[in-house]
Amino acid sequence: MANKNNSTLFQTLSRLAPQLRPIMWPLIWGFLSALAASAVALAVPQVYRSLVNKALLPGTGTQALWVGAGVVLVLGLLEAALISLRRQFVIVPVTTVETRMRTSFYRHLQNLAVEFHDRWGSGQLLSRAMSDLNFMRRWMAFGAIMLVVTALTVVIGVVLMFSMSWELGLIFLAAAVPISIFGFRFRRSYGRVSRKSQDQAGDLATTVEESVHGIRVLKAFGRGQEALDAFAGQAQELQATEIHKAKSLAVFSLVVTLLPELALGSGLVVGILLVSNGRLDVGALVAFFATAAVVAGPVESMGPLLAMTFAAKTALDRHFEVIDAVTTIEDPAVPVELAAVRGDLEFRGVHFRFPDTPSGTPDLLNGIDLTLHAGETMALVGVTGSGKSALLNLVPRLFDVSSGAVLLDGTDIRLLRLAELRRHVSVAFEDTTLFSHSVRENVLLGAPEQSGESSHLSGDEALERALEVAQAGFAHTLGNGVDTLIGEEGLSLSGGQRQRVALARAIAARPAVLVLDDPLSALDVNTEERVMDRLRVELAGTTTLIVAHRPSTVAMADRVALLQDGRITAVGTHSELLAGNSHYRYVLASLTEEPRDLDTGVDDDLADDFGAESLGTNLPIHKPKGAGA
């Protein structure tokens, strides 16, 4: 989590200026409409004063009374119209600002490096993108305008009250001093508790999201009650914070409501004495208290409006904590264009350490030198935690090298635009991530634009070719075929199905370099062999670097690189390393066959037929060729 922001209210709110500048005139018109509505409300007591002093005199007819009533009615209708105008002026512009800020926030999230997302909980980011900006929109549309209008209404009202009776005005003004002192203290305490509340709400959202994504694990291990207890604890902490907020606001509202009421009570006694002494007429007394009644509403609303403003500052601080995060992986100032990409890949003196690695700890990758020739398939093996996945993540620049360089066709990849680099490099991870869209949309996610020169296949052709190579024909047997929505993160599919869809997505991109982080771990050996055979044919000329956790994967590679102690200690064919490298034999012995994905556990002939896989659970399970009894 980022550090808490210690900026002042003015400093934080001033950062909204670039967003508000394009809609300044609608906001000004909305403000003027609200101010005019308050002015109209303050004009009504002056009508009362005239009525009392003139229409109620002995012998006066009813005409003045009806005229006065008509004026009050017109003023009431005008006030309602002005309030409606205020809303009409500001609603569309502020929702536009909200949308623009939310889109900018999402764009920035996409540009931030993976290391940022590793540190931040998804619920915290979600609450900033949704709840905080939604609150900001409400504050811009109502809170900000009404806070200023309310303050001006109180000032104008007090001036009018002084004009009618300076003695009564002083009594009312005396109540403002303790309110101002208490308001200053309230600002500081409420700001802290508001920040704590919004952070806790973000943590709670993260817990909900993690529990929903991990519901199968919680159910399988019978840990639902433990998860519920932990969630309830967090919810109770948030509840306690919200109660503390509510109590603080209640005390402030008590003060700003009670003191003016006491002032009015005292003013009533003094006012009657002034009238009895002839120093104040009855109309002025009525107008004074009518004005005080109009001012009382804004005074009472000052507490909630201030609370809303402080909460808006907190929401903005939280928003800018993310916006201010530095994008560490960016396009170069002067990018290099690659006319044609062969696929030669080289790691030259590569060092890498995670940003939060304690000082004095050796680099995870400590001088990697490795060359892959265009069209070659190389397996990368090593013990768990040796840095295989980190090495693969350097190729599409999900992470950047700490020193050294990764070269594509002899060009440092940091000199290429990210979009171009990732157009030439395609990735499939072991932990597959699919989106809540159709199979078609997931597979074609990284496919080249059909209008571009890099693609010679139509969308349907690219889809079918990728599904066939990845042995993902089961997609045609789903409810709506390849247009079936697969649910959040693809959890409606089995592990092997998800991996094959993710592999099809990487294949559909038709890259020059294919990076595979053990994407076949959930497949049985027969299906894995078919996939690799098809990959060789379909992606002939594509350089493939694959992290291998199974001997069968290693055996199908052209060459194997052994990662040991942060370095590549041996490179050769599987047979060469098996015969001449003891550490390679040790690593290979530690690689075990993964449990088969049952939806692929059919014999070769049936599995070659699109649609046969949907019957897999009803067919006899065949052991992979060569497997023991």
Side-chain angles (χ1 to χ4, degrees):
M1 278 286 297
N3 292 330
K4 302 295 187 291
N5 193 296
N6 294 318
S7 62
T8 65
L9 177 65
F10 177 77
Q11 289 172 332
T12 296
L13 297 182
S14 65
R15 298 193 65 180
L16 269 181
Q19 300 293 339
L20 298 181
R21 194 170 293 119
I23 65 166
M24 189 57 66
W25 278 111
L27 289 181
I28 290 174
W29 286 115
F31 165 74
L32 292 177
S33 299
L35 185 59
S38 293
V40 169
L42 289 171
V44 173
Q46 304 309 310
V47 178
Y48 293 161
R49 180 178 185 177
S50 178
L51 280 174
V52 171
N53 288 340
K54 295 180 180 180
L56 299 183
L57 291 176
T60 305
T62 61
Q63 182 179 0
L65 178 62
W66 287 111
V67 171
V71 171
V72 171
L73 176 62
V74 170
L75 290 176
L77 292 175
L78 181 59
E79 181 184 4
L82 288 169
I83 292 174
S84 177
L85 272 178
R86 188 261 302 171
R87 293 178 176 173
Q88 294 297 325
F89 278 127
V90 302
I91 288 299
V92 173
V94 297
T95 54
T96 301
V97 169
E98 178 193 22
T99 301
R100 187 162 58 239
M101 292 180 68
R102 183 168 286 136
T103 302
S104 175
F105 185 89
Y106 183 77
R107 183 187 302 113
H108 189 61
L109 282 182
Q110 287 189 314
N111 291 334
L112 288 171
V114 173
E115 63 191 55
F116 170 88
H117 294 278
D118 289 342
R119 296 195 308 269
W120 282 73
S122 54
Q124 286 287 352
L125 297 177
L126 179 62
S127 67
R128 282 162 168 77
M130 302 303 297
S131 301
D132 288 350
L133 288 179
N134 184 272
F135 189 88
M136 277 305 308
R137 186 253 305 161
R138 298 199 306 274
W139 178 78
M140 287 186 292
F142 175 78
I145 292 176
M146 294 311 300
L147 181 63
V148 178
V149 169
T150 295
L152 290 176
T153 301
V154 172
V155 171
I156 295 172
V158 170
V159 170
L160 288 174
M161 287 189 287
F162 264 88
S163 69
M164 288 177 275
S165 173
W166 65 267
E167 296 96 332
L168 297 180
L170 280 178
I171 294 174
F172 194 87
L173 186 62
V177 175
I179 290 177
S180 300
I181 297 173
F182 190 78
F184 179 77
R185 294 179 177 176
F186 172 75
R187 175 186 64 85
R188 301 183 62 181
S189 63
Y190 192 86
R192 288 193 297 268
V193 72
S194 177
R195 175 58 195 249
K196 183 178 180 181
S197 169
Q198 287 170 276
D199 284 342
Q200 287 177 333
D203 291 337
L204 203 62
T206 298
T207 300
V208 172
E209 186 174 18
E210 289 176 347
S211 298
V212 171
H213 290 169
I215 191 65
R216 287 168 173 78
V217 175
L218 294 177
K219 286 181 175 295
F221 285 91
R223 296 301 182 187
Q225 186 60 47
E226 286 80 354
L228 175 60
D229 292 341
F231 177 83
Q234 285 183 284
Q236 288 167 359
E237 290 178 359
L238 177 58
Q239 177 192 26
T241 304
E242 289 292 339
I243 291 174
H244 183 45
K245 269 179 62 179
K247 287 182 177 179
S248 298
L249 183 56
V251 172
F252 184 76
S253 298
L254 173 66
V255 172
V256 299
T257 302
L258 179 61
L259 291 181
E261 294 294 336
L262 291 175
L264 288 178
S266 302
L268 179 59
V269 174
V270 175
I272 293 174
L273 292 175
L274 291 174
V275 170
S276 66
N277 294 331
R279 297 172 58 186
L280 184 69
D281 59 68
V282 177
L285 181 62
V286 171
F288 180 91
F289 282 98
T291 302
V294 173
V295 173
V299 170
E300 292 177 8
S301 65
M302 190 70 73
L305 287 173
L306 282 174
M308 189 177 190
T309 300
F310 301 146
K313 176 196 180 296
T314 298
L316 263 181
D317 285 338
R318 284 163 48 87
H319 173 78
F320 285 118
E321 278 178 355
V322 178
I323 294 297
D324 292 340
V326 178
T327 302
T328 56
I329 298 180
E330 298 181 293
D331 286 332
V334 183
V336 174
E337 298 285 345
L338 293 180
V341 179
R342 300 184 305 276
D344 291 321
L345 185 65
E346 181 183 357
F347 299 87
R348 183 181 297 173
V350 168
H351 286 253
F352 174 75
R353 62 192 291 119
F354 290 105
D356 55 354
T357 302
S359 58
T361 304
D363 291 346
L364 179 62
L365 301 178
N366 196 17
I368 297 292
D369 291 300
L370 181 64
T371 300
L372 283 77
H373 305 297
E376 179 182 24
T377 297
M378 177 173 287
L380 181 65
V381 300
V383 296
T384 300
S386 58
K388 303 184 294 296
S389 296
L391 181 64
L392 264 61
N393 284 325
L394 297 177
V395 181
R397 287 193 72 193
L398 298 181
F399 292 103
D400 260 344
V401 297
S402 302
S403 62
V406 180
L407 296 91
L408 179 61
D409 288 353
T411 301
D412 191 327
I413 61 174
R414 290 171 293 188
L415 299 177
L416 303 177
R417 279 193 292 266
L418 289 171
E420 181 182 6
L421 171 65
R422 291 165 185 174
R423 187 169 65 247
H424 299 311
V425 177
S426 188
V427 182
F429 300 102
E430 178 181 13
D431 297 328
T432 55
T433 298
L434 301 179
F435 298 94
S436 303
H437 300 299
S438 66
V439 174
R440 178 193 302 276
E441 291 170 307
N442 272 279
V443 172
L444 296 181
L445 178 68
E449 294 291 338
Q450 301 309 313
S451 60
E453 69 276 5
S454 60
S455 175
H456 64 275
L457 296 176
S458 69
D460 287 340
E461 289 173 333
L463 174 68
E464 294 302 326
R465 185 73 62 84
L467 291 175
E468 183 180 359
V469 173
Q471 300 295 295
F474 69 87
H476 292 282
T477 69
L478 300 175
N480 292 318
V482 294
D483 293 313
T484 301
L485 296 177
I486 59 176
E488 188 175 11
E489 294 195 1
L491 293 179
S492 59
L493 304 178
S494 71
Q497 289 174 331
R498 290 198 301 274
Q499 283 197 336
R500 281 176 285 166
V501 171
L503 180 60
R505 178 172 60 198
I507 294 168
R510 304 193 65 78
V513 177
L514 182 61
V515 177
L516 305 176
D517 190 357
D518 198 24
L520 310 177
S521 59
L523 305 184
D524 63 85
V525 176
N526 284 345
T527 304
E528 179 190 25
E529 184 177 0
R530 287 195 299 273
V531 170
M532 294 298 292
D533 289 342
R534 290 306 309 274
L535 279 174
R536 285 196 183 92
V537 175
E538 178 66 18
L539 299 179
T542 298
T543 307
T544 304
L545 178 60
I546 179 171
V547 166
H549 289 103
R550 297 198 293 186
S552 55
T553 306
V554 175
M556 287 185 279
D558 297 324
R559 288 193 300 159
V560 182
L562 178 62
L563 182 59
Q564 181 182 4
D565 298 328
R567 297 176 179 271
I568 298 297
T569 57
V571 178
T573 66
H574 170 61
S575 300
E576 291 170 350
L577 295 183
L578 194 62
N581 191 294
S582 59
H583 185 70
Y584 179 73
R585 290 193 296 269
Y586 167 77
V587 173
L588 207 63
S590 67
L591 303 181
T592 58
E593 299 290 349
E594 299 287 341
R596 290 182 301 166
D597 177 29
L598 297 183
D599 68 344
T600 63
V602 297
D603 62 42
D604 294 348
D605 293 332
L606 286 173
D608 284 337
D609 181 13
F610 267 22
E613 299 187 46
S614 64
L615 305 175
T617 55
N618 297 322
L619 295 172
I621 302 298
H622 295 277
K623 289 181 178 284
K625 294 178 181 178

